[in-house]
Amino acid sequence: MYKVYSHPGWGSVMPEALLELSGLPYEIVDLDLRGRPEGRRMLASVNPLVQLPTIVVPDGTVMTESGAIALYIAEEAPEAGLAPLAGEPHRAAYLRWHFFMTATVYASHIIDDHADRWASGEPAVTEIAARGIAHRKELWAIVEANAGEPWFLGDTFS
């Protein structure tokens, strides 16, 4: 059984969706990390970075990093067709866009979600947050310009 540490709006929808599509058994541990020290303590015992998503795979290994989690689930359930396998058409494109989404687009949220880390005082924090949002819109435009039809990789579910 997979264990997914999760909370709505905190980036855990991807492993939840992939596990659902894969048919692999899983349970969700809902942790509200804002202002809830018990949730933070519970997650810190599994992942010292206290970040979501965090999953624990059936052998007890803790996984973090959305890109790694997605690849792992896809490889554990190849029959679900969640990702092109090594040697299959679209594998290179899949890897490119998979990591662009997780390492560039998703990671860009830290700019505006935590603008106070990069500047202090208003209006500097507001300016940094606005720039982060504008940058993410540019990134999404790149994704949209490269997406196929009906799926991202054309006829291949992706």
Side-chain angles (χ1 to χ4, degrees):
M1 169 91 53
Y2 291 80
K3 185 180 286 189
V4 181
Y5 292 87
S6 173
H7 191 69
W10 282 63
S12 302
V13 69
M14 182 272 304
E16 292 175 31
L18 292 175
L19 286 165
E20 187 67 30
L21 289 168
S22 72
L24 296 170
Y26 68 97
E27 64 176 309
I28 295 174
V29 178
D30 186 9
L31 297 176
D32 185 354
L33 301 179
R34 288 197 203 272
R36 298 281 166 86
E38 66 278 3
R40 295 186 76 75
R41 279 193 300 273
M42 180 187 286
L43 186 55
S45 71
V46 178
N47 177 359
L49 292 176
V50 190
Q51 67 185 160
L52 298 175
T54 294
I55 72 168
V56 179
V57 302
D59 73 2
T61 301
V62 175
M63 292 196 70
T64 62
E65 310 311 320
S66 296
I69 292 168
L71 284 175
Y72 183 84
I73 293 169
E75 290 173 357
E76 288 296 295
E79 66 284 351
L82 300 175
L85 301 175
E88 291 183 348
H90 302 296
R91 178 66 173 185
Y94 166 78
L95 290 172
R96 175 189 179 193
W97 293 109
H98 173 86
F99 283 98
F100 185 83
M101 293 293 296
T102 59
T104 305
V105 177
Y106 181 65
S108 73
H109 281 274
I110 197 167
I111 298 168
D112 49 288
D113 283 354
H114 302 286
D116 58 329
R117 292 181 181 174
W118 323 117
S120 59
E122 295 296 332
V125 170
T126 301
E127 174 68 17
I128 294 290
R131 287 183 182 196
I133 292 167
H135 178 64
R136 192 165 43 262
K137 287 180 180 179
E138 292 170 2
L139 297 174
W140 275 115
I142 293 168
V143 171
E144 290 172 358
N146 285 276
E149 293 283 338
W151 303 103
F152 194 90
L153 297 176
D155 291 333
T156 302
F157 173 75
S158 51

